[in-house]
């Protein structure tokens, strides 16, 4: 019997997960707070998501897995607690934005897996900006690899090549194979010398490369010159008022020296500075001076007090206000080969972190100076331009002409499209990656505007939620020709069904694709992987169709395989 799965919260992400599970043949029931237009099937329960009556109506007490897909962390927490009271043994896949809370729940509660839409989607946005046409991600060798689909057409460079020729290369890992004819699995195709034909689909993982951050002395010198220009732009008023103050002091000094008061230039300068700034000076200098000099001193005191007060106020505002931050950010904007991220939304800050970790230079444009991620971003040494990215001047200030790519990832779809169109207008050849929340319209926007990528986080994250619901802690997932596959790791135990078998024999009999094996402090891959005999303690990394995962639950050994 197939396990019963409940999807609670059929918003953009939840409904996509619900449809994917139903498409894969799972026994799934949905819960939503209101009717869904166009949904006529009887497997959707309408009611409050966190109430016991609604969960019982969905069959919570007999269900194996609950997917909580609401976008509200507090609501998801309430649903989780209510579900655990009704069914203490139910397996829960919980959507959380708060990473620290999610990790704590995973460590505290058994059979609880937290997942983040932002965390799943951000790497794909990053890969798209880097030029990879990624459809997802997979964690291999302690790295996050972009995965992409290769559709073999008559112009594809791999047409006619044997799959065995592609099998050995470590920097490009074959993950899943769907032939245009028949149902030959990848391992059997590799061993039989199968050649790629027109219409074949191949899922491939590409090893990421971390770019070292190197700055030459020439670039540093250019950066210093640029900083001086930016300083002049942002601190022009402060410098101008300082020049006025200096001119007043110099004029007073020269007046006292030329008045035949028998004082040196240094003494006159000391008195002038003390008199104008209010710090005090040698008042005996003007005690016996003519009335005109005394009147001049009175005027200088009044004028100096006004000028010094205005200058102090401007200097304080520059240093403690936003002007100094704006200057500092503007001075650090790279001249070329950088990525422009427009919008510090939840997914925006994750993209910034991903690019920064990979060694790439980033510039952020954000309208809200009080955005909670601004200080986090500046803490990474990344410049933040405060302004509207849909304005031509703001994009030009980010050096868009020499940038590698622009990512429009604000929380407003219309603004993202406006930013993307404005960026293309300023630099027609620059790649633009657009965030579009509605998964049903993201594809339409891609076709209409022909941007490099229009991505929906719900569309990207839903397969991972669906795969996790079907079994285990997933390392990666993808969809090809409506077939959902998942990647996970399984530890070989004496009771494991694969124990004692050669990897190639187990793969062909169970219809999975082996990725690599960790055994005895070494890693087996390529042809050596296929000839490896699985022993207790080995960890096998593999991919397999998601609709076969439920079969692993039929005996006690299955939990070992998918956890």
């Amino acid at each position: 019997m197939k396990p019963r799965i409940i999807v609670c919260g059929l918003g953009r992400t939840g409904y996509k997960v619900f449809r994917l599970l139903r498409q894969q043949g799972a026994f799934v029931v949905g819960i939503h707070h209101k009717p869904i237009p166009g949904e006529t099937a009887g497997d959707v329960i309408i009611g409050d998501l966190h109430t016991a009556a609604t969960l019982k109506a969905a069959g919570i007490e007999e269900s194996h897995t609950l997917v909580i897909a609401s976008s509200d962390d507090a609501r998801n927490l309430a649903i989780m607690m209510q579900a655990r009271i009704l069914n203490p043994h139910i397996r829960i896949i919980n959507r959380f934005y708060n990473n620290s809370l999610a990790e704590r729940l995973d460590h505290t509660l058994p059979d609880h897996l937290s997942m983040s839409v932002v965390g799943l989607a951000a790497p794909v946005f990053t890969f798209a900006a880097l030029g990879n046409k990624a459809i997802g991600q997979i964690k291999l060798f302690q790295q996050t690899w972009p995965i992409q689909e290769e559709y073999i057409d008559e112009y594809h460079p791999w047409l006619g090549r044997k799959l065995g020729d592609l099998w050995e290369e470590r920097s490009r890992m074959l993950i899943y194979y769907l032939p245009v004819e028949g149902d030959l699995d990848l391992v059997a195709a590799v061993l039989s010398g199968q050649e790629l034909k027109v219409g074949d689909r191949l899922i491939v993982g590409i090893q990421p490369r971390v770019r070292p951050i190197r700055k030459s002395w020439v670039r540093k010198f250019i950066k210093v010159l640029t900083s001086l220009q930016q300083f002049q732009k942002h601190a022009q008023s402060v410098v101008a008022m300082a020049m006025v103050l200096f001119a007043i002091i110099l004029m007073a000094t020269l007046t006292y020296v030329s008045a035949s008061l028998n004082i040196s230039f240094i003494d006159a300068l000391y008195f002038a500075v003390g008199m104008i700034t209010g710090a005090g000076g040698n008042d005996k200098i003007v005690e016996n001076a003519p009335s005109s000099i005394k009147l001049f001193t009175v005027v200088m005191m009044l004028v100096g007090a006004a000028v010094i007060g205005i200058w102090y106020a401007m200097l304080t505002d520059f240093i403690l206000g936003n002007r100094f931050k704006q200057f500092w950010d503007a001075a650090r904007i790279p001249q070329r080969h950088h990525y422009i991220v427009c919008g510090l939304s939840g997914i925006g800050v994750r993209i910034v972190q991903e690019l920064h970790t990979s060694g790439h230079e980033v510039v952020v444009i954000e309208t809200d100076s009080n955005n909670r991620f601004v200080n986090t971003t500046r803490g990474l040494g990344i410049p933040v331009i405060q302004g509207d990215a849909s304005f031509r001047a703001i994009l030009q200030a980010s050096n868009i002409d020499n940038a590698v790519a622009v990512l429009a990832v604000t929380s407003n779809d219309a603004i993202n499209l406006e930013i993307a169109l404005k960026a293309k207008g300023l630099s027609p050849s620059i790649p633009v990656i657009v965030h579009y929340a509605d998964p049903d319209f993201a594809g339409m926007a891609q076709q209409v505007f022909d941007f490099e990528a229009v991505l929906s986080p719900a569309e990207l994250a839903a397969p991972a939620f669906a795969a996790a619901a079907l079994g285990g802690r997933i390392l990666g997932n993808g969809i090809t020709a409506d077939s959902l596959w998942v990647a996970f790791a399984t530890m070989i135990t004496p009771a494991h069904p694969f124990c004692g078998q050669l990897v190639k024999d187990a793969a062909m009999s169970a219809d999975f694709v082996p990725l690599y094996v960790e055994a005895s402090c070494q890693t087996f891959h390529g042809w050596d992987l296929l000839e490896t005999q699985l022993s207790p303690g080995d960890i096998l990394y593999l991919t397999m169709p998601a609709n076969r995962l439920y079969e692993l639950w039929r005996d006690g050994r299955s939990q070992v395989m998918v956890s």
Side-chain angles (χ1 to χ4, degrees):
M1 179 180 178
K2 296 180 180 180
R4 185 185 183 97
I5 301 172
I6 298 176
V7 179
C8 192
L10 302 183
R12 286 193 177 105
T13 303
Y15 191 51
K16 183 69 178 179
V17 174
F18 175 75
R19 289 190 296 176
L20 277 174
L21 289 171
R22 189 162 58 184
Q23 178 183 332
Q24 300 303 313
F27 183 12
V28 58
V29 177
I31 301 177
H32 202 47
H33 64 278
K34 62 180 181 181
I36 300 175
E39 185 62 50
T40 58
D43 50 3
V44 176
I45 307 300
I46 307 301
D48 292 333
L49 305 182
H50 61 278
T51 61
T54 303
L55 292 171
K56 286 182 178 180
I60 189 72
E61 296 166 321
E62 300 83 25
S63 297
H64 295 80
T65 302
L66 171 65
V67 179
I68 306 176
S70 165
S71 59
D72 187 337
D73 283 3
R75 179 184 297 175
N76 292 349
L77 192 60
I79 296 170
M80 181 272 295
M81 291 187 292
Q82 183 66 73
R84 274 293 163 90
I85 291 175
L86 297 175
N87 186 347
H89 304 291
I90 193 168
R91 182 168 171 268
I92 295 178
I93 313 298
N94 209 341
R95 175 183 176 180
F96 268 105
Y97 182 79
N98 188 327
N99 289 330
S100 59
L101 175 60
E103 292 177 2
R104 181 56 55 190
L105 289 174
D106 290 345
H107 282 90
T108 304
L109 301 175
D111 293 325
H112 184 279
L113 173 61
S114 299
M115 301 181 71
S116 167
V117 171
V118 168
L120 292 167
V124 182
F125 277 82
T126 305
F127 296 145
L130 296 175
N132 296 320
K133 296 181 179 180
I135 62 172
Q137 58 178 309
I138 184 172
K139 293 184 179 179
L140 299 173
F141 302 109
Q142 287 76 50
Q143 288 183 300
T144 301
W145 294 40
I147 55 177
Q148 61 188 48
E149 181 183 39
E150 297 287 348
Y151 178 79
I152 309 301
D153 55 22
E154 59 269 23
Y155 304 107
H156 199 285
W158 292 355
L159 178 63
R161 290 192 64 180
K162 293 183 179 181
L163 283 168
D165 296 338
L166 305 173
W167 177 257
E168 183 66 22
E169 189 173 346
R170 288 196 65 179
S171 62
R172 184 177 56 219
M173 188 167 292
L174 305 186
I175 294 177
Y176 193 74
Y177 172 58
L178 190 66
V180 65
E181 297 177 353
D183 55 356
L184 192 65
D185 64 87
L186 179 58
V187 174
V190 168
L191 293 175
S192 63
Q194 178 75 15
E195 296 181 352
L196 289 171
K197 302 177 181 179
V198 175
D200 287 351
R201 295 175 184 268
L202 195 63
I203 300 297
V204 182
I206 309 298
Q207 186 177 23
R209 296 181 179 179
V210 177
R211 179 182 177 184
I213 302 177
R214 298 178 181 176
K215 293 187 177 180
S216 65
W217 287 104
V218 175
R219 292 186 62 185
K220 290 182 179 179
F221 180 72
I222 295 175
K223 202 69 173 177
V224 170
L225 295 180
T226 306
S227 299
L228 294 177
Q229 295 175 356
Q230 295 295 340
F231 181 84
Q232 182 180 6
K233 175 182 177 181
H234 287 82
Q236 186 174 6
S237 57
V238 178
V239 173
M241 189 56 65
M243 296 299 294
V244 171
L245 180 60
F246 177 78
I248 292 174
I249 293 174
L250 182 61
M251 181 179 66
T253 301
L254 295 176
T255 300
Y256 293 132
V257 170
S258 62
S260 301
L261 299 178
N262 297 323
I263 60 174
S264 66
F265 181 84
I266 298 300
D267 289 337
L269 177 63
Y270 174 73
F271 174 71
V273 172
M275 176 264 298
I276 291 175
T277 60
N282 188 4
D283 294 338
K284 294 181 180 181
I285 293 177
V286 294
E287 283 183 358
N288 299 320
S291 299
S292 59
I293 296 299
K294 292 180 179 180
L295 182 61
F296 174 78
T297 302
V298 171
V299 174
M300 286 295 99
M301 286 181 177
L302 296 175
V303 173
V307 172
I308 203 72
I310 295 173
W311 186 70
Y312 278 162
M314 295 173 64
L315 185 61
T316 302
D317 177 68
F318 177 76
I319 295 176
L320 300 181
N322 291 326
R323 286 183 174 271
F324 184 76
K325 293 180 180 178
Q326 293 174 7
F327 150 68
W328 187 243
D329 287 333
R332 293 183 298 167
I333 294 175
Q335 296 301 304
R336 59 181 59 84
H337 307 314
H338 58 284
Y339 294 83
I340 303 173
V341 179
C342 305
L344 272 183
S345 57
I347 194 169
V349 70
R350 290 294 293 270
I351 293 170
V352 168
Q353 292 169 344
E354 294 267 352
L355 288 169
H356 179 73
T357 303
S358 300
H360 299 279
E361 291 190 295
V362 185
V363 175
V364 172
I365 302 176
E366 170 58 39
T367 57
D368 185 8
S369 60
N370 297 318
N371 184 295
R372 58 177 176 166
F373 298 122
V374 167
N375 291 333
T376 301
T377 303
R378 286 197 171 110
L380 296 174
I382 297 172
V384 179
I385 300 175
Q386 183 184 346
D388 191 338
S390 63
F391 288 179
R392 179 184 298 268
I394 298 297
L395 287 174
Q396 289 175 335
S398 66
N399 295 329
I400 188 174
D401 292 333
N402 298 319
V404 179
V406 174
L407 295 100
V409 289
T410 73
S411 56
N412 187 298
D413 291 346
I415 292 177
N416 290 337
L417 287 178
E418 183 181 3
I419 293 171
L421 292 172
K422 186 62 65 66
K424 281 293 188 181
L426 291 173
S427 181
S429 61
I430 193 169
V432 176
I433 316 305
V434 183
H435 170 282
Y436 210 92
D438 194 324
D440 295 327
F441 288 93
M444 298 181 187
Q446 172 71 51
Q447 294 180 12
V448 172
F449 298 105
D450 195 27
F451 296 128
E452 276 64 30
V454 180
L455 304 174
S456 168
E459 187 80 22
L460 297 173
F465 278 84
L470 291 169
R473 193 176 289 267
I474 305 302
L475 301 177
N477 60 271
I479 296 179
T480 178
D482 295 329
S483 177
L484 175 64
W485 59 265
V486 295
F488 56 91
T490 173
M491 177 173 286
I492 306 300
T493 64
H496 199 290
F498 298 162
C499 185
Q501 294 189 41
L502 294 177
V503 171
K504 64 179 182 180
D505 296 334
M508 289 187 288
S509 62
D511 189 21
F512 70 81
V513 177
L515 301 178
Y516 63 97
V517 170
E518 292 180 351
S520 302
C521 300
Q522 58 182 324
T523 301
F524 296 97
H525 60 90
W527 294 107
D528 293 337
L529 168 65
L530 298 179
E531 299 298 332
T532 299
Q533 186 175 27
L534 296 171
S535 303
D538 294 350
I539 299 178
L540 172 64
Y541 293 79
L542 68 148
T543 64
M544 70 183 305
N547 56 13
R548 305 243 350 231
L549 280 175
Y550 76 88
E551 297 179 3
L552 303 179
W553 292 8
R554 292 184 175 180
D555 55 55
R557 298 172 299 183
S558 62
Q559 293 301 321
V560 177
M561 293 185 63
V562 298
S563 63

